[in-house]
Amino acid sequence: MDASIMEGSNLKAGAVSMVRGVKNPISLARLVMEKTEHILLAGIGAEAFAKEMKCKFETADYFYEEFRFQQWQQLKDSGKTSLDHSENKERKFGTVGAVACDAHGNLAAATSTGGMTNKKFGRIGDSPLIGAGTYANNKTCAVSCTGSGEFFIQGVVAYDISCLMEYKGMTLVEACEEVVNKKLLKLGGDGGVVAVDTNGNMAMPFNTEGMYRASMNTKQEKLIQIYR
Ligand code: ASP
């Protein structure tokens, strides 16, 4: 599992990659941010830190999901990978991303994932990489990504959205459109983002068939959608 978290007010960030057994990898990412001098811990080192921090661990049974196992069975000798939102729309469990803006315009972003199905052992996606899968900066926006991670790394997607706002003066919606529906598509990348700017404007664009998404504003108005 991979996870990362970032605060927009001070650009502090924490991330973990290739962890097994940790019940809540995103809490571990937050501990990396708050309790260490580092940003990204991986593998057995990240797990040792989790034990030191007394994080909850679970056995493999806890993480077992019949549907995911079957999905992997179908793919395992094919050399292919798949995303949770590219097929089987009934299943809502996969990468989880969240972004938030408080009353003072403070932003935060977080992403947690088991990664793509049938990824190679040792493969790291965009989710634990600050700038690729997750980014937050009070000057611009907070972004969390989901999709085929390699393209999000190539496009440095989360940071690119922030850059277009910072350097080109684009609005959040314009910057997200430019990156998700133009630049990412050009690379051949499929996926989407959830994003919020420092004034509370939101954008949740995707270039796949659907993306499970929801939002709530200060008036408690909710939006819950899957398809366009
Ligand atoms: N971005 C994740 C990865 O590449 C997968 C996902 O978003 O579903 O590992």
Side-chain angles (χ1 to χ4, degrees), residues 47-204:
E47 288 165 22
F49 175 66
K51 283 183 190 139
E52 207 182 296
M53 290 288 116
K54 305 204 169 10
C55 290
K56 220 171 171 225
F57 276 74
E58 295 287 351
T59 59
D61 300 352
Y62 175 83
F63 299 98
Y64 183 81
E65 231 254 320
E66 177 62 20
F67 172 79
R68 287 272 172 243
F69 180 73
Q70 292 305 337
Q71 203 181 22
W72 175 60
Q73 290 297 305
Q74 282 171 19
L75 281 175
K76 75 179 164 112
D77 300 316
S78 69
K80 289 188 194 139
T81 53
S82 86
L83 285 176
D84 51 21
H85 39 99
S86 47
E87 52 187 315
N88 299 303
K89 291 120 199 158
E90 301 314 310
R91 310 302 293 213
K92 304 180 186 60
F93 309 107
T95 299
V96 178
V99 291
C101 174
D102 76 8
H104 309 287
N106 288 310
L107 298 174
T111 312
S112 181
T113 190
M116 295 178 76
T117 303
N118 205 35
K119 63 187 179 183
K120 271 208 191 328
F121 182 55
R123 176 266 191 187
I124 297 172
D126 59 316
S127 308
L129 302 183
I130 297 302
T134 305
Y135 190 72
N137 185 338
N138 277 9
K139 274 192 194 167
T140 54
C141 60
V143 182
S144 170
C145 304
T146 182
S148 301
E150 282 66 16
F151 298 104
F152 284 75
I153 297 172
Q154 283 180 325
V156 203
V157 164
Y159 184 59
D160 197 23
I161 291 171
S162 170
C163 283
L164 288 174
M165 293 179 70
E166 185 174 356
Y167 304 134
K168 272 198 147 180
M170 285 189 181
T171 64
L172 179 75
V173 171
E174 286 167 355
C176 284
E177 273 305 306
E178 176 70 24
V179 174
V180 175
N181 284 315
K182 290 191 190 148
K183 293 172 97 172
L184 196 57
L185 269 186
K186 237 186 217 164
L187 287 172
D190 50 342
V193 309
V194 290
V196 63
D197 72 15
T198 190
N199 295 314
N201 299 305
M202 296 181 261
M204 299 191 280

